[in-house]
PDB file of all heavy atoms in Angstrom:
ATOM      1  N   PHE J   1     147.789 102.490  36.541  1.00  0.00           N
ATOM      2  CA  PHE J   1     149.027 103.079  36.030  1.00  0.00           C
ATOM      3  C   PHE J   1     150.207 102.595  36.877  1.00  0.00           C
ATOM      4  O   PHE J   1     150.931 103.386  37.460  1.00  0.00           O
ATOM      5  CB  PHE J   1     148.939 104.607  36.070  1.00  0.00           C
ATOM      6  CG  PHE J   1     147.883 105.163  35.170  1.00  0.00           C
ATOM      7  CD1 PHE J   1     146.610 105.426  35.662  1.00  0.00           C
ATOM      8  CD2 PHE J   1     148.140 105.415  33.835  1.00  0.00           C
ATOM      9  CE1 PHE J   1     145.625 105.934  34.836  1.00  0.00           C
ATOM     10  CE2 PHE J   1     147.163 105.919  33.006  1.00  0.00           C
ATOM     11  CZ  PHE J   1     145.904 106.172  33.499  1.00  0.00           C
ATOM     12  N   ASN J   2     150.403 101.289  36.911  1.00  0.00           N
ATOM     13  CA  ASN J   2     151.411 100.717  37.793  1.00  0.00           C
ATOM     14  C   ASN J   2     152.841 100.950  37.311  1.00  0.00           C
ATOM     15  O   ASN J   2     153.776 100.770  38.072  1.00  0.00           O
ATOM     16  CB  ASN J   2     151.158  99.229  38.026  1.00  0.00           C
ATOM     17  CG  ASN J   2     151.097  98.449  36.740  1.00  0.00           C
ATOM     18  OD1 ASN J   2     151.095  99.009  35.664  1.00  0.00           O
ATOM     19  ND2 ASN J   2     151.037  97.146  36.859  1.00  0.00           N
ATOM     20  N   TYR J   3     153.041 101.369  36.066  1.00  0.00           N
ATOM     21  CA  TYR J   3     154.392 101.598  35.573  1.00  0.00           C
ATOM     22  C   TYR J   3     154.886 103.014  35.853  1.00  0.00           C
ATOM     23  O   TYR J   3     156.052 103.308  35.648  1.00  0.00           O
ATOM     24  CB  TYR J   3     154.471 101.314  34.070  1.00  0.00           C
ATOM     25  CG  TYR J   3     154.256  99.852  33.773  1.00  0.00           C
ATOM     26  CD1 TYR J   3     153.120  99.412  33.114  1.00  0.00           C
ATOM     27  CD2 TYR J   3     155.188  98.906  34.180  1.00  0.00           C
ATOM     28  CE1 TYR J   3     152.929  98.067  32.858  1.00  0.00           C
ATOM     29  CE2 TYR J   3     155.004  97.562  33.931  1.00  0.00           C
ATOM     30  CZ  TYR J   3     153.870  97.152  33.263  1.00  0.00           C
ATOM     31  OH  TYR J   3     153.676  95.822  33.026  1.00  0.00           O
ATOM     32  N   ASP J   4     154.007 103.884  36.288  1.00  0.00           N
ATOM     33  CA  ASP J   4     154.420 105.240  36.650  1.00  0.00           C
ATOM     34  C   ASP J   4     155.039 105.232  38.040  1.00  0.00           C
ATOM     35  O   ASP J   4     154.899 104.273  38.799  1.00  0.00           O
ATOM     36  CB  ASP J   4     153.212 106.191  36.609  1.00  0.00           C
ATOM     37  CG  ASP J   4     152.776 106.482  35.182  1.00  0.00           C
ATOM     38  OD1 ASP J   4     153.591 107.059  34.450  1.00  0.00           O
ATOM     39  OD2 ASP J   4     151.644 106.128  34.824  1.00  0.00           O
ATOM     40  N   SER J   5     155.678 106.312  38.378  1.00  0.00           N
ATOM     41  CA  SER J   5     156.357 106.422  39.668  1.00  0.00           C
ATOM     42  C   SER J   5     155.364 106.267  40.821  1.00  0.00           C
ATOM     43  O   SER J   5     154.254 106.805  40.778  1.00  0.00           O
ATOM     44  CB  SER J   5     157.041 107.788  39.768  1.00  0.00           C
ATOM     45  OG  SER J   5     157.546 108.000  41.053  1.00  0.00           O
ATOM     46  N   ALA J   6     155.779 105.571  41.838  1.00  0.00           N
ATOM     47  CA  ALA J   6     154.917 105.346  43.009  1.00  0.00           C
ATOM     48  C   ALA J   6     154.681 106.633  43.786  1.00  0.00           C
ATOM     49  O   ALA J   6     153.722 106.727  44.551  1.00  0.00           O
ATOM     50  CB  ALA J   6     155.540 104.296  43.916  1.00  0.00           C
ATOM     51  N   TYR J   7     155.523 107.627  43.593  1.00  0.00           N
ATOM     52  CA  TYR J   7     155.380 108.892  44.315  1.00  0.00           C
ATOM     53  C   TYR J   7     154.244 109.753  43.771  1.00  0.00           C
ATOM     54  O   TYR J   7     153.724 110.603  44.475  1.00  0.00           O
ATOM     55  CB  TYR J   7     156.680 109.691  44.245  1.00  0.00           C
ATOM     56  CG  TYR J   7     157.829 108.995  44.910  1.00  0.00           C
ATOM     57  CD1 TYR J   7     158.917 108.549  44.172  1.00  0.00           C
ATOM     58  CD2 TYR J   7     157.823 108.760  46.285  1.00  0.00           C
ATOM     59  CE1 TYR J   7     159.970 107.908  44.778  1.00  0.00           C
ATOM     60  CE2 TYR J   7     158.869 108.109  46.901  1.00  0.00           C
ATOM     61  CZ  TYR J   7     159.946 107.689  46.147  1.00  0.00           C
ATOM     62  OH  TYR J   7     160.980 107.046  46.759  1.00  0.00           O
ATOM     63  N   ILE J   8     153.857 109.539  42.526  1.00  0.00           N
ATOM     64  CA  ILE J   8     152.830 110.389  41.917  1.00  0.00           C
ATOM     65  C   ILE J   8     151.423 109.868  42.200  1.00  0.00           C
ATOM     66  O   ILE J   8     150.456 110.624  42.145  1.00  0.00           O
ATOM     67  CB  ILE J   8     153.087 110.549  40.390  1.00  0.00           C
ATOM     68  CG1 ILE J   8     152.301 111.717  39.812  1.00  0.00           C
ATOM     69  CG2 ILE J   8     152.766 109.278  39.648  1.00  0.00           C
ATOM     70  CD1 ILE J   8     152.779 113.056  40.260  1.00  0.00           C
ATOM     71  N   HIS J   9     151.268 108.601  42.546  1.00  0.00           N
ATOM     72  CA  HIS J   9     149.939 108.043  42.809  1.00  0.00           C
ATOM     73  C   HIS J   9     149.204 108.776  43.940  1.00  0.00           C
ATOM     74  O   HIS J   9     148.027 109.117  43.779  1.00  0.00           O
ATOM     75  CB  HIS J   9     150.032 106.546  43.116  1.00  0.00           C
ATOM     76  CG  HIS J   9     150.560 105.755  41.964  1.00  0.00           C
ATOM     77  ND1 HIS J   9     151.366 104.656  42.141  1.00  0.00           N
ATOM     78  CD2 HIS J   9     150.428 105.888  40.622  1.00  0.00           C
ATOM     79  CE1 HIS J   9     151.688 104.151  40.970  1.00  0.00           C
ATOM     80  NE2 HIS J   9     151.137 104.887  40.026  1.00  0.00           N
ATOM     81  N   PRO J  10     149.833 109.055  45.083  1.00  0.00           N
ATOM     82  CA  PRO J  10     149.126 109.808  46.131  1.00  0.00           C
ATOM     83  C   PRO J  10     148.778 111.238  45.708  1.00  0.00           C
ATOM     84  O   PRO J  10     147.747 111.767  46.109  1.00  0.00           O
ATOM     85  CB  PRO J  10     150.104 109.818  47.303  1.00  0.00           C
ATOM     86  CG  PRO J  10     151.021 108.693  47.054  1.00  0.00           C
ATOM     87  CD  PRO J  10     151.122 108.550  45.573  1.00  0.00           C
ATOM     88  N   VAL J  11     149.627 111.845  44.886  1.00  0.00           N
ATOM     89  CA  VAL J  11     149.344 113.205  44.408  1.00  0.00           C
ATOM     90  C   VAL J  11     148.083 113.197  43.559  1.00  0.00           C
ATOM     91  O   VAL J  11     147.188 114.045  43.728  1.00  0.00           O
ATOM     92  CB  VAL J  11     150.544 113.766  43.613  1.00  0.00           C
ATOM     93  CG1 VAL J  11     150.203 115.095  42.981  1.00  0.00           C
ATOM     94  CG2 VAL J  11     151.763 113.877  44.501  1.00  0.00           C
ATOM     95  N   CYS J  12     147.997 112.243  42.665  1.00  0.00           N
ATOM     96  CA  CYS J  12     146.816 112.149  41.802  1.00  0.00           C
ATOM     97  C   CYS J  12     145.574 111.765  42.614  1.00  0.00           C
ATOM     98  O   CYS J  12     144.480 112.253  42.335  1.00  0.00           O
ATOM     99  CB  CYS J  12     147.072 111.141  40.694  1.00  0.00           C
ATOM    100  SG  CYS J  12     148.397 111.636  39.599  1.00  0.00           S
ATOM    101  N   ALA J  13     145.749 110.914  43.596  1.00  0.00           N
ATOM    102  CA  ALA J  13     144.626 110.560  44.468  1.00  0.00           C
ATOM    103  C   ALA J  13     144.126 111.787  45.213  1.00  0.00           C
ATOM    104  O   ALA J  13     142.913 111.957  45.406  1.00  0.00           O
ATOM    105  CB  ALA J  13     145.038 109.471  45.438  1.00  0.00           C
ATOM    106  N   ALA J  14     145.033 112.659  45.603  1.00  0.00           N
ATOM    107  CA  ALA J  14     144.635 113.894  46.292  1.00  0.00           C
ATOM    108  C   ALA J  14     143.857 114.813  45.360  1.00  0.00           C
ATOM    109  O   ALA J  14     142.926 115.502  45.802  1.00  0.00           O
ATOM    110  CB  ALA J  14     145.863 114.610  46.838  1.00  0.00           C
ATOM    111  N   ILE J  15     144.205 114.823  44.082  1.00  0.00           N
ATOM    112  CA  ILE J  15     143.463 115.644  43.111  1.00  0.00           C
ATOM    113  C   ILE J  15     142.013 115.180  43.037  1.00  0.00           C
ATOM    114  O   ILE J  15     141.086 115.990  43.053  1.00  0.00           O
ATOM    115  CB  ILE J  15     144.147 115.589  41.726  1.00  0.00           C
ATOM    116  CG1 ILE J  15     145.497 116.301  41.788  1.00  0.00           C
ATOM    117  CG2 ILE J  15     143.260 116.192  40.651  1.00  0.00           C
ATOM    118  CD1 ILE J  15     146.363 116.121  40.558  1.00  0.00           C
ATOM    119  N   PHE J  16     141.814 113.877  42.962  1.00  0.00           N
ATOM    120  CA  PHE J  16     140.449 113.342  42.909  1.00  0.00           C
ATOM    121  C   PHE J  16     139.722 113.546  44.231  1.00  0.00           C
ATOM    122  O   PHE J  16     138.541 113.885  44.252  1.00  0.00           O
ATOM    123  CB  PHE J  16     140.473 111.854  42.547  1.00  0.00           C
ATOM    124  CG  PHE J  16     140.695 111.589  41.098  1.00  0.00           C
ATOM    125  CD1 PHE J  16     141.951 111.236  40.632  1.00  0.00           C
ATOM    126  CD2 PHE J  16     139.657 111.681  40.197  1.00  0.00           C
ATOM    127  CE1 PHE J  16     142.161 110.996  39.294  1.00  0.00           C
ATOM    128  CE2 PHE J  16     139.848 111.435  38.855  1.00  0.00           C
ATOM    129  CZ  PHE J  16     141.110 111.093  38.395  1.00  0.00           C
ATOM    130  N   THR J  17     140.414 113.334  45.339  1.00  0.00           N
ATOM    131  CA  THR J  17     139.790 113.454  46.657  1.00  0.00           C
ATOM    132  C   THR J  17     139.383 114.892  46.945  1.00  0.00           C
ATOM    133  O   THR J  17     138.342 115.131  47.548  1.00  0.00           O
ATOM    134  CB  THR J  17     140.747 112.936  47.742  1.00  0.00           C
ATOM    135  OG1 THR J  17     141.125 111.594  47.410  1.00  0.00           O
ATOM    136  CG2 THR J  17     140.087 112.941  49.102  1.00  0.00           C
ATOM    137  N   GLN J  18     140.188 115.837  46.487  1.00  0.00           N
ATOM    138  CA  GLN J  18     139.861 117.248  46.687  1.00  0.00           C
ATOM    139  C   GLN J  18     138.539 117.610  46.023  1.00  0.00           C
ATOM    140  O   GLN J  18     137.755 118.391  46.551  1.00  0.00           O
ATOM    141  CB  GLN J  18     140.968 118.125  46.127  1.00  0.00           C
ATOM    142  CG  GLN J  18     140.693 119.599  46.259  1.00  0.00           C
ATOM    143  CD  GLN J  18     141.759 120.433  45.568  1.00  0.00           C
ATOM    144  OE1 GLN J  18     142.606 119.914  44.850  1.00  0.00           O
ATOM    145  NE2 GLN J  18     141.711 121.717  45.798  1.00  0.00           N
ATOM    146  N   LYS J  19     138.272 116.995  44.861  1.00  0.00           N
ATOM    147  CA  LYS J  19     137.013 117.241  44.157  1.00  0.00           C
ATOM    148  C   LYS J  19     135.905 116.306  44.617  1.00  0.00           C
ATOM    149  O   LYS J  19     134.798 116.352  44.106  1.00  0.00           O
ATOM    150  CB  LYS J  19     137.225 117.065  42.651  1.00  0.00           C
ATOM    151  CG  LYS J  19     138.273 117.962  42.061  1.00  0.00           C
ATOM    152  CD  LYS J  19     137.674 119.188  41.491  1.00  0.00           C
ATOM    153  CE  LYS J  19     138.786 120.003  40.856  1.00  0.00           C
ATOM    154  NZ  LYS J  19     138.342 120.822  39.788  1.00  0.00           N
ATOM    155  N   ASN J  20     136.222 115.412  45.565  1.00  0.00           N
ATOM    156  CA  ASN J  20     135.267 114.448  46.118  1.00  0.00           C
ATOM    157  C   ASN J  20     134.720 113.520  45.028  1.00  0.00           C
ATOM    158  O   ASN J  20     133.513 113.289  44.935  1.00  0.00           O
ATOM    159  CB  ASN J  20     134.130 115.153  46.866  1.00  0.00           C
ATOM    160  CG  ASN J  20     133.461 114.238  47.854  1.00  0.00           C
ATOM    161  OD1 ASN J  20     134.045 113.255  48.294  1.00  0.00           O
ATOM    162  ND2 ASN J  20     132.233 114.558  48.203  1.00  0.00           N
ATOM    163  N   VAL J  21     135.644 113.008  44.212  1.00  0.00           N
ATOM    164  CA  VAL J  21     135.298 112.160  43.076  1.00  0.00           C
ATOM    165  C   VAL J  21     136.112 110.872  43.170  1.00  0.00           C
ATOM    166  O   VAL J  21     137.261 110.891  43.591  1.00  0.00           O
ATOM    167  CB  VAL J  21     135.633 112.888  41.751  1.00  0.00           C
ATOM    168  CG1 VAL J  21     135.356 112.003  40.555  1.00  0.00           C
ATOM    169  CG2 VAL J  21     134.881 114.187  41.641  1.00  0.00           C
ATOM    170  N   LYS J  22     135.506 109.763  42.746  1.00  0.00           N
ATOM    171  CA  LYS J  22     136.246 108.505  42.662  1.00  0.00           C
ATOM    172  C   LYS J  22     137.020 108.481  41.346  1.00  0.00           C
ATOM    173  O   LYS J  22     136.509 108.896  40.302  1.00  0.00           O
ATOM    174  CB  LYS J  22     135.302 107.315  42.717  1.00  0.00           C
ATOM    175  CG  LYS J  22     134.724 107.074  44.071  1.00  0.00           C
ATOM    176  CD  LYS J  22     133.940 105.789  44.109  1.00  0.00           C
ATOM    177  CE  LYS J  22     133.389 105.563  45.504  1.00  0.00           C
ATOM    178  NZ  LYS J  22     132.666 104.301  45.592  1.00  0.00           N
ATOM    179  N   ALA J  23     138.225 107.988  41.407  1.00  0.00           N
ATOM    180  CA  ALA J  23     139.059 107.885  40.209  1.00  0.00           C
ATOM    181  C   ALA J  23     138.473 106.849  39.261  1.00  0.00           C
ATOM    182  O   ALA J  23     138.114 105.748  39.672  1.00  0.00           O
ATOM    183  CB  ALA J  23     140.479 107.510  40.596  1.00  0.00           C
ATOM    184  N   ASP J  24     138.379 107.231  37.988  1.00  0.00           N
ATOM    185  CA  ASP J  24     137.859 106.344  36.958  1.00  0.00           C
ATOM    186  C   ASP J  24     138.995 106.031  35.985  1.00  0.00           C
ATOM    187  O   ASP J  24     139.384 106.888  35.190  1.00  0.00           O
ATOM    188  CB  ASP J  24     136.703 107.016  36.224  1.00  0.00           C
ATOM    189  CG  ASP J  24     136.079 106.140  35.163  1.00  0.00           C
ATOM    190  OD1 ASP J  24     136.427 104.948  35.075  1.00  0.00           O
ATOM    191  OD2 ASP J  24     135.234 106.662  34.407  1.00  0.00           O
ATOM    192  N   PRO J  25     139.564 104.819  36.046  1.00  0.00           N
ATOM    193  CA  PRO J  25     140.707 104.507  35.191  1.00  0.00           C
ATOM    194  C   PRO J  25     140.387 104.555  33.698  1.00  0.00           C
ATOM    195  O   PRO J  25     141.246 104.902  32.899  1.00  0.00           O
ATOM    196  CB  PRO J  25     141.126 103.110  35.622  1.00  0.00           C
ATOM    197  CG  PRO J  25     140.108 102.612  36.549  1.00  0.00           C
ATOM    198  CD  PRO J  25     139.223 103.736  36.940  1.00  0.00           C
ATOM    199  N   VAL J  26     139.165 104.241  33.325  1.00  0.00           N
ATOM    200  CA  VAL J  26     138.782 104.293  31.910  1.00  0.00           C
ATOM    201  C   VAL J  26     138.825 105.743  31.413  1.00  0.00           C
ATOM    202  O   VAL J  26     139.390 106.029  30.348  1.00  0.00           O
ATOM    203  CB  VAL J  26     137.381 103.677  31.702  1.00  0.00           C
ATOM    204  CG1 VAL J  26     136.925 103.841  30.270  1.00  0.00           C
ATOM    205  CG2 VAL J  26     137.376 102.217  32.121  1.00  0.00           C
ATOM    206  N   LEU J  27     138.258 106.644  32.179  1.00  0.00           N
ATOM    207  CA  LEU J  27     138.283 108.062  31.817  1.00  0.00           C
ATOM    208  C   LEU J  27     139.708 108.595  31.802  1.00  0.00           C
ATOM    209  O   LEU J  27     140.083 109.379  30.932  1.00  0.00           O
ATOM    210  CB  LEU J  27     137.417 108.872  32.777  1.00  0.00           C
ATOM    211  CG  LEU J  27     137.338 110.374  32.534  1.00  0.00           C
ATOM    212  CD1 LEU J  27     136.780 110.671  31.146  1.00  0.00           C
ATOM    213  CD2 LEU J  27     136.501 111.032  33.608  1.00  0.00           C
ATOM    214  N   MET J  28     140.515 108.156  32.737  1.00  0.00           N
ATOM    215  CA  MET J  28     141.906 108.604  32.789  1.00  0.00           C
ATOM    216  C   MET J  28     142.685 108.132  31.559  1.00  0.00           C
ATOM    217  O   MET J  28     143.480 108.878  30.991  1.00  0.00           O
ATOM    218  CB  MET J  28     142.581 108.105  34.062  1.00  0.00           C
ATOM    219  CG  MET J  28     142.069 108.776  35.311  1.00  0.00           C
ATOM    220  SD  MET J  28     142.812 108.124  36.807  1.00  0.00           S
ATOM    221  CE  MET J  28     144.451 108.829  36.676  1.00  0.00           C
ATOM    222  N   LYS J  29     142.421 106.921  31.115  1.00  0.00           N
ATOM    223  CA  LYS J  29     143.106 106.419  29.913  1.00  0.00           C
ATOM    224  C   LYS J  29     142.612 107.136  28.660  1.00  0.00           C
ATOM    225  O   LYS J  29     143.384 107.346  27.720  1.00  0.00           O
ATOM    226  CB  LYS J  29     142.932 104.911  29.814  1.00  0.00           C
ATOM    227  CG  LYS J  29     143.723 104.211  30.910  1.00  0.00           C
ATOM    228  CD  LYS J  29     143.788 102.731  30.766  1.00  0.00           C
ATOM    229  CE  LYS J  29     144.604 102.212  31.947  1.00  0.00           C
ATOM    230  NZ  LYS J  29     145.042 100.874  31.805  1.00  0.00           N
ATOM    231  N   GLU J  30     141.343 107.546  28.652  1.00  0.00           N
ATOM    232  CA  GLU J  30     140.846 108.354  27.537  1.00  0.00           C
ATOM    233  C   GLU J  30     141.550 109.710  27.511  1.00  0.00           C
ATOM    234  O   GLU J  30     141.910 110.212  26.437  1.00  0.00           O
ATOM    235  CB  GLU J  30     139.339 108.553  27.645  1.00  0.00           C
ATOM    236  CG  GLU J  30     138.527 107.308  27.358  1.00  0.00           C
ATOM    237  CD  GLU J  30     137.046 107.502  27.629  1.00  0.00           C
ATOM    238  OE1 GLU J  30     136.618 108.638  27.907  1.00  0.00           O
ATOM    239  OE2 GLU J  30     136.312 106.506  27.568  1.00  0.00           O
ATOM    240  N   CYS J  31     141.751 110.294  28.670  1.00  0.00           N
ATOM    241  CA  CYS J  31     142.469 111.566  28.762  1.00  0.00           C
ATOM    242  C   CYS J  31     143.920 111.397  28.327  1.00  0.00           C
ATOM    243  O   CYS J  31     144.484 112.289  27.676  1.00  0.00           O
ATOM    244  CB  CYS J  31     142.398 112.124  30.180  1.00  0.00           C
ATOM    245  SG  CYS J  31     140.752 112.658  30.669  1.00  0.00           S
ATOM    246  N   LEU J  32     144.520 110.262  28.634  1.00  0.00           N
ATOM    247  CA  LEU J  32     145.882 109.984  28.198  1.00  0.00           C
ATOM    248  C   LEU J  32     145.950 109.935  26.671  1.00  0.00           C
ATOM    249  O   LEU J  32     146.873 110.487  26.067  1.00  0.00           O
ATOM    250  CB  LEU J  32     146.367 108.663  28.799  1.00  0.00           C
ATOM    251  CG  LEU J  32     147.714 108.148  28.327  1.00  0.00           C
ATOM    252  CD1 LEU J  32     148.824 109.124  28.688  1.00  0.00           C
ATOM    253  CD2 LEU J  32     147.992 106.773  28.920  1.00  0.00           C
ATOM    254  N   GLN J  33     144.955 109.309  26.063  1.00  0.00           N
ATOM    255  CA  GLN J  33     144.925 109.250  24.598  1.00  0.00           C
ATOM    256  C   GLN J  33     144.765 110.644  23.986  1.00  0.00           C
ATOM    257  O   GLN J  33     145.372 110.956  22.963  1.00  0.00           O
ATOM    258  CB  GLN J  33     143.795 108.335  24.118  1.00  0.00           C
ATOM    259  CG  GLN J  33     144.074 106.872  24.319  1.00  0.00           C
ATOM    260  CD  GLN J  33     145.351 106.432  23.632  1.00  0.00           C
ATOM    261  OE1 GLN J  33     145.669 106.846  22.525  1.00  0.00           O
ATOM    262  NE2 GLN J  33     146.109 105.587  24.316  1.00  0.00           N
TER     263      GLN J  33
END
């Protein structure tokens, strides 16, 4: 998601890290749809 604000990337990374999960871009794009 390189077109989104650079400030939100660490916030979203913290959401995944808090749940101890690796970010899955395919799943994230499905959620976007």
Side-chain angles (χ1 to χ4, degrees):
F1 296 94
N2 56 352
Y3 293 112
D4 288 297
S5 172
Y7 297 114
I8 196 69
H9 297 145
V11 173
C12 296
I15 292 171
F16 282 100
T17 305
Q18 178 186 9
K19 302 265 183 152
N20 202 22
V21 177
K22 287 187 179 182
D24 182 8
V26 175
L27 180 60
M28 290 177 73
K29 290 189 180 195
E30 289 173 7
C31 292
L32 174 62
Q33 286 303 320

